PDB file of all heavy atoms in Angstrom:
ATOM      1  N   LEU S   3     -46.830   6.095   6.308  1.00  0.00           N
ATOM      2  CA  LEU S   3     -45.657   6.868   6.616  1.00  0.00           C
ATOM      3  C   LEU S   3     -45.217   6.817   8.002  1.00  0.00           C
ATOM      4  O   LEU S   3     -44.070   6.752   8.400  1.00  0.00           O
ATOM      5  CB  LEU S   3     -45.814   8.343   6.271  1.00  0.00           C
ATOM      6  CG  LEU S   3     -45.315   8.719   4.864  1.00  0.00           C
ATOM      7  CD1 LEU S   3     -45.486  10.239   4.656  1.00  0.00           C
ATOM      8  CD2 LEU S   3     -43.890   8.385   4.566  1.00  0.00           C
ATOM      9  N   ASP S   4     -46.272   6.743   8.984  1.00  0.00           N
ATOM     10  CA  ASP S   4     -45.907   6.760  10.386  1.00  0.00           C
ATOM     11  C   ASP S   4     -45.330   5.393  10.873  1.00  0.00           C
ATOM     12  O   ASP S   4     -44.887   5.292  11.972  1.00  0.00           O
ATOM     13  CB  ASP S   4     -47.156   7.198  11.254  1.00  0.00           C
ATOM     14  CG  ASP S   4     -48.309   6.288  11.006  1.00  0.00           C
ATOM     15  OD1 ASP S   4     -48.125   5.245  10.288  1.00  0.00           O
ATOM     16  OD2 ASP S   4     -49.381   6.585  11.528  1.00  0.00           O
ATOM     17  N   SER S   5     -45.324   4.424   9.924  1.00  0.00           N
ATOM     18  CA  SER S   5     -44.695   3.111  10.336  1.00  0.00           C
ATOM     19  C   SER S   5     -43.248   3.057   9.857  1.00  0.00           C
ATOM     20  O   SER S   5     -42.631   2.044  10.083  1.00  0.00           O
ATOM     21  CB  SER S   5     -45.538   1.948   9.799  1.00  0.00           C
ATOM     22  OG  SER S   5     -45.465   1.998   8.396  1.00  0.00           O
ATOM     23  N   VAL S   6     -42.778   4.065   9.177  1.00  0.00           N
ATOM     24  CA  VAL S   6     -41.331   4.113   8.805  1.00  0.00           C
ATOM     25  C   VAL S   6     -40.478   4.402   9.978  1.00  0.00           C
ATOM     26  O   VAL S   6     -40.770   5.306  10.733  1.00  0.00           O
ATOM     27  CB  VAL S   6     -41.114   5.111   7.690  1.00  0.00           C
ATOM     28  CG1 VAL S   6     -39.583   5.298   7.419  1.00  0.00           C
ATOM     29  CG2 VAL S   6     -41.889   4.835   6.477  1.00  0.00           C
ATOM     30  N   PRO S   7     -39.446   3.540  10.297  1.00  0.00           N
ATOM     31  CA  PRO S   7     -38.622   3.816  11.510  1.00  0.00           C
ATOM     32  C   PRO S   7     -38.020   5.209  11.463  1.00  0.00           C
ATOM     33  O   PRO S   7     -37.658   5.704  10.416  1.00  0.00           O
ATOM     34  CB  PRO S   7     -37.531   2.764  11.325  1.00  0.00           C
ATOM     35  CG  PRO S   7     -37.986   1.784  10.296  1.00  0.00           C
ATOM     36  CD  PRO S   7     -39.047   2.446   9.541  1.00  0.00           C
ATOM     37  N   GLN S   8     -38.049   5.871  12.641  1.00  0.00           N
ATOM     38  CA  GLN S   8     -37.542   7.231  12.758  1.00  0.00           C
ATOM     39  C   GLN S   8     -36.015   7.304  12.919  1.00  0.00           C
ATOM     40  O   GLN S   8     -35.470   8.376  12.893  1.00  0.00           O
ATOM     41  CB  GLN S   8     -38.215   7.961  13.861  1.00  0.00           C
ATOM     42  CG  GLN S   8     -39.719   8.109  13.792  1.00  0.00           C
ATOM     43  CD  GLN S   8     -40.138   8.773  12.473  1.00  0.00           C
ATOM     44  OE1 GLN S   8     -39.774   9.931  12.268  1.00  0.00           O
ATOM     45  NE2 GLN S   8     -40.892   8.140  11.642  1.00  0.00           N
ATOM     46  N   ASP S   9     -35.417   6.172  13.143  1.00  0.00           N
ATOM     47  CA  ASP S   9     -33.964   6.177  13.516  1.00  0.00           C
ATOM     48  C   ASP S   9     -33.080   5.860  12.283  1.00  0.00           C
ATOM     49  O   ASP S   9     -31.957   5.363  12.453  1.00  0.00           O
ATOM     50  CB  ASP S   9     -33.657   5.224  14.603  1.00  0.00           C
ATOM     51  CG  ASP S   9     -34.168   3.827  14.273  1.00  0.00           C
ATOM     52  OD1 ASP S   9     -34.802   3.664  13.277  1.00  0.00           O
ATOM     53  OD2 ASP S   9     -33.864   2.880  15.092  1.00  0.00           O
ATOM     54  N   LEU S  10     -33.598   6.126  11.045  1.00  0.00           N
ATOM     55  CA  LEU S  10     -32.739   5.916   9.896  1.00  0.00           C
ATOM     56  C   LEU S  10     -31.610   6.867   9.894  1.00  0.00           C
ATOM     57  O   LEU S  10     -31.685   8.025  10.274  1.00  0.00           O
ATOM     58  CB  LEU S  10     -33.529   6.136   8.585  1.00  0.00           C
ATOM     59  CG  LEU S  10     -34.517   5.015   8.180  1.00  0.00           C
ATOM     60  CD1 LEU S  10     -35.238   5.418   6.895  1.00  0.00           C
ATOM     61  CD2 LEU S  10     -33.738   3.679   7.921  1.00  0.00           C
ATOM     62  N   PRO S  11     -30.405   6.372   9.641  1.00  0.00           N
ATOM     63  CA  PRO S  11     -29.247   7.209   9.629  1.00  0.00           C
ATOM     64  C   PRO S  11     -29.302   8.325   8.614  1.00  0.00           C
ATOM     65  O   PRO S  11     -29.959   8.161   7.573  1.00  0.00           O
ATOM     66  CB  PRO S  11     -28.034   6.319   9.301  1.00  0.00           C
ATOM     67  CG  PRO S  11     -28.646   5.146   8.707  1.00  0.00           C
ATOM     68  CD  PRO S  11     -30.077   5.008   9.135  1.00  0.00           C
ATOM     69  N   ALA S  12     -28.743   9.522   8.878  1.00  0.00           N
ATOM     70  CA  ALA S  12     -28.765  10.672   7.894  1.00  0.00           C
ATOM     71  C   ALA S  12     -27.666  10.378   6.869  1.00  0.00           C
ATOM     72  O   ALA S  12     -26.471  10.463   7.126  1.00  0.00           O
ATOM     73  CB  ALA S  12     -28.441  11.992   8.680  1.00  0.00           C
ATOM     74  N   GLN S  13     -28.138   9.884   5.715  1.00  0.00           N
ATOM     75  CA  GLN S  13     -27.223   9.542   4.653  1.00  0.00           C
ATOM     76  C   GLN S  13     -27.915   9.873   3.361  1.00  0.00           C
ATOM     77  O   GLN S  13     -29.101  10.007   3.238  1.00  0.00           O
ATOM     78  CB  GLN S  13     -26.990   8.017   4.567  1.00  0.00           C
ATOM     79  CG  GLN S  13     -26.260   7.482   5.775  1.00  0.00           C
ATOM     80  CD  GLN S  13     -26.062   5.940   5.568  1.00  0.00           C
ATOM     81  OE1 GLN S  13     -25.662   5.518   4.457  1.00  0.00           O
ATOM     82  NE2 GLN S  13     -26.316   5.243   6.669  1.00  0.00           N
ATOM     83  N   PRO S  14     -27.097  10.004   2.216  1.00  0.00           N
ATOM     84  CA  PRO S  14     -27.795  10.229   0.958  1.00  0.00           C
ATOM     85  C   PRO S  14     -28.767   9.079   0.620  1.00  0.00           C
ATOM     86  O   PRO S  14     -28.464   7.960   1.080  1.00  0.00           O
ATOM     87  CB  PRO S  14     -26.628  10.240  -0.037  1.00  0.00           C
ATOM     88  CG  PRO S  14     -25.361  10.423   0.760  1.00  0.00           C
ATOM     89  CD  PRO S  14     -25.731   9.934   2.103  1.00  0.00           C
ATOM     90  N   LEU S  15     -29.857   9.406  -0.027  1.00  0.00           N
ATOM     91  CA  LEU S  15     -30.855   8.418  -0.295  1.00  0.00           C
ATOM     92  C   LEU S  15     -30.306   7.229  -1.050  1.00  0.00           C
ATOM     93  O   LEU S  15     -30.600   6.059  -0.786  1.00  0.00           O
ATOM     94  CB  LEU S  15     -32.052   9.032  -1.067  1.00  0.00           C
ATOM     95  CG  LEU S  15     -33.269   8.149  -1.250  1.00  0.00           C
ATOM     96  CD1 LEU S  15     -33.819   7.667   0.018  1.00  0.00           C
ATOM     97  CD2 LEU S  15     -34.339   8.904  -2.053  1.00  0.00           C
ATOM     98  N   THR S  16     -29.376   7.492  -1.992  1.00  0.00           N
ATOM     99  CA  THR S  16     -28.765   6.330  -2.768  1.00  0.00           C
ATOM    100  C   THR S  16     -28.095   5.368  -1.860  1.00  0.00           C
ATOM    101  O   THR S  16     -28.241   4.184  -2.088  1.00  0.00           O
ATOM    102  CB  THR S  16     -27.772   6.982  -3.731  1.00  0.00           C
ATOM    103  OG1 THR S  16     -26.938   7.940  -3.035  1.00  0.00           O
ATOM    104  CG2 THR S  16     -28.397   7.553  -4.992  1.00  0.00           C
ATOM    105  N   ALA S  17     -27.399   5.885  -0.866  1.00  0.00           N
ATOM    106  CA  ALA S  17     -26.620   5.001   0.105  1.00  0.00           C
ATOM    107  C   ALA S  17     -27.665   4.204   0.911  1.00  0.00           C
ATOM    108  O   ALA S  17     -27.479   3.004   1.135  1.00  0.00           O
ATOM    109  CB  ALA S  17     -25.741   5.815   0.957  1.00  0.00           C
ATOM    110  N   VAL S  18     -28.708   4.844   1.304  1.00  0.00           N
ATOM    111  CA  VAL S  18     -29.710   4.184   2.184  1.00  0.00           C
ATOM    112  C   VAL S  18     -30.333   3.080   1.433  1.00  0.00           C
ATOM    113  O   VAL S  18     -30.505   1.955   2.006  1.00  0.00           O
ATOM    114  CB  VAL S  18     -30.810   5.257   2.705  1.00  0.00           C
ATOM    115  CG1 VAL S  18     -31.895   4.577   3.371  1.00  0.00           C
ATOM    116  CG2 VAL S  18     -30.134   6.259   3.568  1.00  0.00           C
ATOM    117  N   VAL S  19     -30.703   3.378   0.179  1.00  0.00           N
ATOM    118  CA  VAL S  19     -31.362   2.349  -0.705  1.00  0.00           C
ATOM    119  C   VAL S  19     -30.462   1.184  -0.924  1.00  0.00           C
ATOM    120  O   VAL S  19     -30.806   0.020  -0.732  1.00  0.00           O
ATOM    121  CB  VAL S  19     -31.946   2.942  -1.992  1.00  0.00           C
ATOM    122  CG1 VAL S  19     -32.420   1.861  -2.885  1.00  0.00           C
ATOM    123  CG2 VAL S  19     -32.942   4.001  -1.712  1.00  0.00           C
ATOM    124  N   SER S  20     -29.206   1.431  -1.342  1.00  0.00           N
ATOM    125  CA  SER S  20     -28.277   0.314  -1.703  1.00  0.00           C
ATOM    126  C   SER S  20     -27.878  -0.418  -0.513  1.00  0.00           C
ATOM    127  O   SER S  20     -27.564  -1.612  -0.612  1.00  0.00           O
ATOM    128  CB  SER S  20     -27.085   0.891  -2.534  1.00  0.00           C
ATOM    129  OG  SER S  20     -26.390   1.806  -1.745  1.00  0.00           O
ATOM    130  N   ALA S  21     -27.949   0.114   0.696  1.00  0.00           N
ATOM    131  CA  ALA S  21     -27.586  -0.637   1.877  1.00  0.00           C
ATOM    132  C   ALA S  21     -28.818  -1.469   2.357  1.00  0.00           C
ATOM    133  O   ALA S  21     -28.732  -2.110   3.353  1.00  0.00           O
ATOM    134  CB  ALA S  21     -27.109   0.306   2.954  1.00  0.00           C
ATOM    135  N   GLY S  22     -29.958  -1.355   1.675  1.00  0.00           N
ATOM    136  CA  GLY S  22     -31.170  -2.095   2.085  1.00  0.00           C
ATOM    137  C   GLY S  22     -31.715  -1.637   3.371  1.00  0.00           C
ATOM    138  O   GLY S  22     -32.344  -2.337   4.167  1.00  0.00           O
ATOM    139  N   LEU S  23     -31.562  -0.311   3.777  1.00  0.00           N
ATOM    140  CA  LEU S  23     -31.992   0.173   5.040  1.00  0.00           C
ATOM    141  C   LEU S  23     -33.496   0.612   4.980  1.00  0.00           C
ATOM    142  O   LEU S  23     -34.055   0.817   6.059  1.00  0.00           O
ATOM    143  CB  LEU S  23     -31.145   1.419   5.505  1.00  0.00           C
ATOM    144  CG  LEU S  23     -29.719   1.048   5.861  1.00  0.00           C
ATOM    145  CD1 LEU S  23     -28.824   2.289   6.071  1.00  0.00           C
ATOM    146  CD2 LEU S  23     -29.699   0.168   7.060  1.00  0.00           C
TER     147      LEU S  23
END
Side-chain angles (χ1 to χ4, degrees):
L3 266 185
D4 58 7
S5 65
V6 173
Q8 298 303 302
D9 55 353
L10 284 177
Q13 294 181 45
L15 188 56
T16 43
V18 173
V19 172
S20 58
L23 291 172

